[in-house]
Amino acid sequence: MVKLYIKPSCKVCQKATKYLKKKKIDFEELDILVSPPAKKLLEKAVDANDPKSAFNTKSTGYKEHGIAEATFNTKKEVVDLLRSNPDMIRRPLLARNEKAILGFDEADYATFLR
């Protein structure tokens, strides 16, 4: 089952939704603020080499927590922070079979969904 975690007002999320519908891919759409992704799923999505890429740089929390200047010692720190502040998760999050990717890029989606 494919799941797409979105924020309904997010323009990029709307593009991802449109793409999946155009490709006739069955998916479940979830509001990331109402039903945040499970910890295990976020662990798959966060890149250990570039954990800051998992953050939505436009979110209020990103600025409030000073993420741009922050240093994270472990991936767990990032995942825990995102779990407690789902609005800071880069959107959309596409999940399938225990794997996940953040953001939207048609080529990445095509490869991920093969």
Side-chain angles (χ1 to χ4, degrees), residues 13-50:
C13 296
Q14 292 167 7
K15 286 180 185 179
T17 300
K18 199 177 283 187
Y19 172 84
L20 293 174
K21 287 179 179 177
K22 183 176 115 183
K23 295 293 182 182
K24 296 182 175 26
I25 294 170
D26 289 329
F27 67 98
E28 179 182 1
E29 190 175 277
L30 300 155
D31 185 322
I32 203 162
L33 301 179
V34 176
S35 302
K39 183 175 183 175
K40 192 174 184 179
L41 194 56
L42 273 177
E43 288 169 349
K44 301 284 185 188
V46 174
D47 181 351
N49 296 318
D50 185 15

Short mmCIF file of all heavy atoms in Angstrom, two decimals, residues 13-50:
data_model
loop_
_atom_site.label_atom_id
_atom_site.label_comp_id
_atom_site.label_asym_id
_atom_site.label_seq_id
_atom_site.Cartn_x
_atom_site.Cartn_y
_atom_site.Cartn_z
N CYS A 13 2.59 19.26 -2.31
CA CYS A 13 1.79 18.07 -1.98
C CYS A 13 0.69 17.87 -3.02
O CYS A 13 0.40 16.75 -3.43
CB CYS A 13 1.18 18.20 -0.60
SG CYS A 13 2.37 18.27 0.74
N GLN A 14 0.08 18.97 -3.45
CA GLN A 14 -0.97 18.90 -4.46
C GLN A 14 -0.42 18.38 -5.79
O GLN A 14 -1.07 17.59 -6.47
CB GLN A 14 -1.62 20.27 -4.64
CG GLN A 14 -2.42 20.70 -3.41
CD GLN A 14 -2.83 22.17 -3.43
OE1 GLN A 14 -2.64 22.87 -4.41
NE2 GLN A 14 -3.39 22.63 -2.32
N LYS A 15 0.81 18.78 -6.13
CA LYS A 15 1.45 18.27 -7.35
C LYS A 15 1.70 16.77 -7.24
O LYS A 15 1.49 16.03 -8.20
CB LYS A 15 2.78 18.99 -7.59
CG LYS A 15 2.64 20.39 -8.08
CD LYS A 15 4.02 21.01 -8.30
CE LYS A 15 3.92 22.47 -8.68
NZ LYS A 15 5.24 23.07 -8.88
N ALA A 16 2.14 16.32 -6.07
CA ALA A 16 2.40 14.89 -5.86
C ALA A 16 1.11 14.09 -5.98
O ALA A 16 1.08 13.03 -6.61
CB ALA A 16 3.06 14.66 -4.50
N THR A 17 0.05 14.58 -5.38
CA THR A 17 -1.26 13.93 -5.45
C THR A 17 -1.72 13.82 -6.90
O THR A 17 -2.15 12.75 -7.35
CB THR A 17 -2.30 14.72 -4.62
OG1 THR A 17 -1.86 14.75 -3.26
CG2 THR A 17 -3.67 14.08 -4.69
N LYS A 18 -1.59 14.91 -7.64
CA LYS A 18 -1.99 14.94 -9.05
C LYS A 18 -1.16 13.93 -9.86
O LYS A 18 -1.69 13.21 -10.70
CB LYS A 18 -1.78 16.35 -9.60
CG LYS A 18 -2.55 16.64 -10.86
CD LYS A 18 -2.35 18.08 -11.32
CE LYS A 18 -3.18 19.01 -10.46
NZ LYS A 18 -3.17 20.40 -10.95
N TYR A 19 0.14 13.86 -9.57
CA TYR A 19 1.02 12.92 -10.27
C TYR A 19 0.58 11.48 -10.04
O TYR A 19 0.47 10.69 -10.98
CB TYR A 19 2.47 13.11 -9.80
CG TYR A 19 3.41 12.06 -10.32
CD1 TYR A 19 3.99 12.18 -11.58
CD2 TYR A 19 3.73 10.94 -9.56
CE1 TYR A 19 4.86 11.21 -12.07
CE2 TYR A 19 4.58 9.96 -10.04
CZ TYR A 19 5.14 10.10 -11.29
OH TYR A 19 5.99 9.14 -11.78
N LEU A 20 0.32 11.12 -8.78
CA LEU A 20 -0.07 9.74 -8.46
C LEU A 20 -1.41 9.39 -9.12
O LEU A 20 -1.58 8.27 -9.62
CB LEU A 20 -0.15 9.55 -6.95
CG LEU A 20 1.18 9.62 -6.20
CD1 LEU A 20 0.95 9.57 -4.69
CD2 LEU A 20 2.12 8.52 -6.63
N LYS A 21 -2.33 10.32 -9.13
CA LYS A 21 -3.63 10.07 -9.78
C LYS A 21 -3.45 9.90 -11.28
O LYS A 21 -4.07 9.02 -11.89
CB LYS A 21 -4.60 11.21 -9.47
CG LYS A 21 -5.10 11.18 -8.04
CD LYS A 21 -6.03 12.34 -7.74
CE LYS A 21 -6.53 12.26 -6.30
NZ LYS A 21 -7.38 13.40 -5.94
N LYS A 22 -2.62 10.75 -11.89
CA LYS A 22 -2.36 10.67 -13.33
C LYS A 22 -1.75 9.32 -13.71
O LYS A 22 -2.08 8.73 -14.73
CB LYS A 22 -1.42 11.81 -13.74
CG LYS A 22 -1.13 11.89 -15.23
CD LYS A 22 -0.27 13.10 -15.53
CE LYS A 22 1.06 12.64 -16.05
NZ LYS A 22 2.00 13.70 -16.31
N LYS A 23 -0.89 8.79 -12.83
CA LYS A 23 -0.23 7.51 -13.07
C LYS A 23 -1.11 6.33 -12.64
O LYS A 23 -0.69 5.17 -12.71
CB LYS A 23 1.11 7.44 -12.33
CG LYS A 23 2.14 8.44 -12.84
CD LYS A 23 2.57 8.10 -14.24
CE LYS A 23 3.63 9.04 -14.75
NZ LYS A 23 4.02 8.75 -16.11
N LYS A 24 -2.32 6.64 -12.16
CA LYS A 24 -3.28 5.62 -11.72
C LYS A 24 -2.71 4.71 -10.62
O LYS A 24 -2.87 3.49 -10.66
CB LYS A 24 -3.80 4.80 -12.90
CG LYS A 24 -4.59 5.63 -13.90
CD LYS A 24 -5.12 4.78 -15.02
CE LYS A 24 -6.00 5.44 -16.01
NZ LYS A 24 -5.95 6.81 -16.30
N ILE A 25 -2.04 5.33 -9.68
CA ILE A 25 -1.47 4.60 -8.55
C ILE A 25 -2.42 4.73 -7.37
O ILE A 25 -2.79 5.84 -6.98
CB ILE A 25 -0.07 5.14 -8.19
CG1 ILE A 25 0.88 4.85 -9.36
CG2 ILE A 25 0.44 4.56 -6.88
CD1 ILE A 25 2.21 5.51 -9.30
N ASP A 26 -2.85 3.58 -6.85
CA ASP A 26 -3.72 3.60 -5.67
C ASP A 26 -2.89 4.03 -4.47
O ASP A 26 -1.81 3.48 -4.22
CB ASP A 26 -4.29 2.20 -5.40
CG ASP A 26 -5.34 1.81 -6.44
OD1 ASP A 26 -6.02 2.71 -6.96
OD2 ASP A 26 -5.46 0.61 -6.72
N PHE A 27 -3.40 5.01 -3.73
CA PHE A 27 -2.68 5.48 -2.56
C PHE A 27 -3.66 6.01 -1.52
O PHE A 27 -4.79 6.37 -1.83
CB PHE A 27 -1.66 6.55 -2.93
CG PHE A 27 -2.25 7.85 -3.43
CD1 PHE A 27 -2.40 8.93 -2.58
CD2 PHE A 27 -2.67 7.99 -4.75
CE1 PHE A 27 -2.94 10.13 -3.04
CE2 PHE A 27 -3.22 9.17 -5.22
CZ PHE A 27 -3.35 10.25 -4.35
N GLU A 28 -3.18 6.02 -0.30
CA GLU A 28 -3.94 6.58 0.81
C GLU A 28 -3.32 7.93 1.13
O GLU A 28 -2.12 8.03 1.34
CB GLU A 28 -3.86 5.65 2.02
CG GLU A 28 -4.60 6.17 3.23
CD GLU A 28 -4.47 5.25 4.45
OE1 GLU A 28 -3.79 4.22 4.37
OE2 GLU A 28 -5.04 5.62 5.49
N GLU A 29 -4.14 8.95 1.15
CA GLU A 29 -3.67 10.30 1.45
C GLU A 29 -3.93 10.58 2.93
O GLU A 29 -5.03 10.41 3.41
CB GLU A 29 -4.43 11.29 0.57
CG GLU A 29 -3.88 12.68 0.59
CD GLU A 29 -4.61 13.57 -0.40
OE1 GLU A 29 -4.25 13.54 -1.59
OE2 GLU A 29 -5.54 14.26 0.03
N LEU A 30 -2.88 11.02 3.63
CA LEU A 30 -2.99 11.28 5.06
C LEU A 30 -2.50 12.70 5.36
O LEU A 30 -1.45 13.12 4.85
CB LEU A 30 -2.13 10.29 5.85
CG LEU A 30 -2.49 8.83 5.66
CD1 LEU A 30 -1.31 7.94 5.94
CD2 LEU A 30 -3.64 8.48 6.57
N ASP A 31 -3.24 13.41 6.20
CA ASP A 31 -2.82 14.73 6.63
C ASP A 31 -1.68 14.53 7.64
O ASP A 31 -1.87 13.92 8.69
CB ASP A 31 -4.00 15.47 7.27
CG ASP A 31 -3.67 16.90 7.65
OD1 ASP A 31 -2.54 17.18 8.10
OD2 ASP A 31 -4.57 17.76 7.51
N ILE A 32 -0.52 15.05 7.32
CA ILE A 32 0.68 14.82 8.12
C ILE A 32 0.55 15.39 9.54
O ILE A 32 1.18 14.91 10.47
CB ILE A 32 1.92 15.38 7.40
CG1 ILE A 32 3.18 14.69 7.89
CG2 ILE A 32 2.01 16.89 7.50
CD1 ILE A 32 4.37 14.85 6.96
N LEU A 33 -0.31 16.41 9.71
CA LEU A 33 -0.50 17.00 11.04
C LEU A 33 -1.50 16.21 11.88
O LEU A 33 -1.39 16.18 13.10
CB LEU A 33 -0.97 18.45 10.92
CG LEU A 33 -0.03 19.39 10.15
CD1 LEU A 33 -0.62 20.78 10.07
CD2 LEU A 33 1.34 19.41 10.77
N VAL A 34 -2.45 15.55 11.22
CA VAL A 34 -3.46 14.75 11.93
C VAL A 34 -2.96 13.33 12.17
O VAL A 34 -3.15 12.76 13.25
CB VAL A 34 -4.78 14.72 11.11
CG1 VAL A 34 -5.81 13.82 11.77
CG2 VAL A 34 -5.33 16.12 10.93
N SER A 35 -2.30 12.75 11.17
CA SER A 35 -1.76 11.38 11.25
C SER A 35 -0.29 11.39 10.86
O SER A 35 0.07 11.02 9.75
CB SER A 35 -2.52 10.46 10.30
OG SER A 35 -3.89 10.45 10.59
N PRO A 36 0.59 11.85 11.77
CA PRO A 36 2.01 11.90 11.42
C PRO A 36 2.58 10.50 11.16
O PRO A 36 2.07 9.51 11.68
CB PRO A 36 2.68 12.53 12.62
CG PRO A 36 1.64 12.73 13.65
CD PRO A 36 0.32 12.31 13.11
N PRO A 37 3.61 10.42 10.32
CA PRO A 37 4.21 9.12 10.04
C PRO A 37 4.81 8.48 11.29
O PRO A 37 5.26 9.19 12.20
CB PRO A 37 5.29 9.42 9.00
CG PRO A 37 5.47 10.89 9.02
CD PRO A 37 4.26 11.51 9.63
N ALA A 38 4.81 7.18 11.31
CA ALA A 38 5.37 6.43 12.44
C ALA A 38 6.88 6.69 12.54
O ALA A 38 7.54 7.01 11.55
CB ALA A 38 5.12 4.94 12.24
N LYS A 39 7.39 6.51 13.73
CA LYS A 39 8.82 6.73 13.99
C LYS A 39 9.68 5.88 13.04
O LYS A 39 10.65 6.37 12.46
CB LYS A 39 9.13 6.40 15.44
CG LYS A 39 10.55 6.67 15.85
CD LYS A 39 10.75 6.43 17.33
CE LYS A 39 12.17 6.77 17.72
NZ LYS A 39 12.38 6.68 19.16
N LYS A 40 9.30 4.63 12.88
CA LYS A 40 10.06 3.71 12.03
C LYS A 40 10.12 4.21 10.58
O LYS A 40 11.15 4.12 9.91
CB LYS A 40 9.41 2.33 12.10
CG LYS A 40 10.20 1.21 11.51
CD LYS A 40 9.51 -0.12 11.78
CE LYS A 40 10.33 -1.28 11.29
NZ LYS A 40 9.69 -2.57 11.57
N LEU A 41 9.02 4.78 10.11
CA LEU A 41 8.96 5.30 8.76
C LEU A 41 9.84 6.55 8.61
O LEU A 41 10.56 6.70 7.63
CB LEU A 41 7.51 5.62 8.39
CG LEU A 41 7.20 5.86 6.93
CD1 LEU A 41 7.64 4.67 6.06
CD2 LEU A 41 5.73 6.12 6.74
N LEU A 42 9.79 7.41 9.60
CA LEU A 42 10.65 8.60 9.56
C LEU A 42 12.12 8.22 9.58
O LEU A 42 12.94 8.85 8.93
CB LEU A 42 10.34 9.53 10.73
CG LEU A 42 9.23 10.54 10.53
CD1 LEU A 42 8.99 11.33 11.79
CD2 LEU A 42 9.52 11.46 9.38
N GLU A 43 12.44 7.17 10.33
CA GLU A 43 13.83 6.71 10.36
C GLU A 43 14.30 6.30 8.97
O GLU A 43 15.45 6.49 8.61
CB GLU A 43 13.97 5.54 11.34
CG GLU A 43 13.88 5.98 12.80
CD GLU A 43 13.75 4.82 13.78
OE1 GLU A 43 13.54 3.66 13.35
OE2 GLU A 43 13.87 5.08 14.98
N LYS A 44 13.39 5.74 8.17
CA LYS A 44 13.73 5.34 6.80
C LYS A 44 13.89 6.57 5.90
O LYS A 44 14.70 6.58 4.98
CB LYS A 44 12.63 4.43 6.21
CG LYS A 44 12.39 3.17 6.98
CD LYS A 44 13.46 2.16 6.72
CE LYS A 44 13.10 0.86 7.42
NZ LYS A 44 14.13 -0.11 7.39
N ALA A 45 13.09 7.61 6.15
CA ALA A 45 13.07 8.78 5.29
C ALA A 45 14.23 9.74 5.54
O ALA A 45 14.71 10.39 4.63
CB ALA A 45 11.74 9.52 5.45
N VAL A 46 14.67 9.83 6.79
CA VAL A 46 15.74 10.77 7.14
C VAL A 46 17.08 10.23 6.67
O VAL A 46 17.46 9.11 6.99
CB VAL A 46 15.75 11.05 8.66
CG1 VAL A 46 16.95 11.91 9.04
CG2 VAL A 46 14.45 11.71 9.10
N ASP A 47 17.78 11.05 5.92
CA ASP A 47 19.11 10.69 5.41
C ASP A 47 20.14 10.96 6.50
O ASP A 47 20.33 12.10 6.93
CB ASP A 47 19.41 11.55 4.17
CG ASP A 47 20.76 11.25 3.54
OD1 ASP A 47 21.57 10.50 4.13
OD2 ASP A 47 21.02 11.78 2.44
N ALA A 48 20.80 9.92 6.97
CA ALA A 48 21.78 10.05 8.04
C ALA A 48 22.93 10.98 7.65
O ALA A 48 23.51 11.65 8.49
CB ALA A 48 22.33 8.67 8.43
N ASN A 49 23.25 11.05 6.36
CA ASN A 49 24.34 11.91 5.89
C ASN A 49 23.92 13.37 5.74
O ASN A 49 24.76 14.25 5.71
CB ASN A 49 24.88 11.39 4.55
CG ASN A 49 25.50 10.02 4.70
OD1 ASN A 49 26.20 9.75 5.67
ND2 ASN A 49 25.22 9.15 3.76
N ASP A 50 22.62 13.60 5.62
CA ASP A 50 22.10 14.96 5.46
C ASP A 50 20.77 15.09 6.18
O ASP A 50 19.72 15.27 5.55
CB ASP A 50 21.95 15.29 3.96
CG ASP A 50 21.54 16.73 3.72
OD1 ASP A 50 21.66 17.56 4.65
OD2 ASP A 50 21.09 17.03 2.59
#
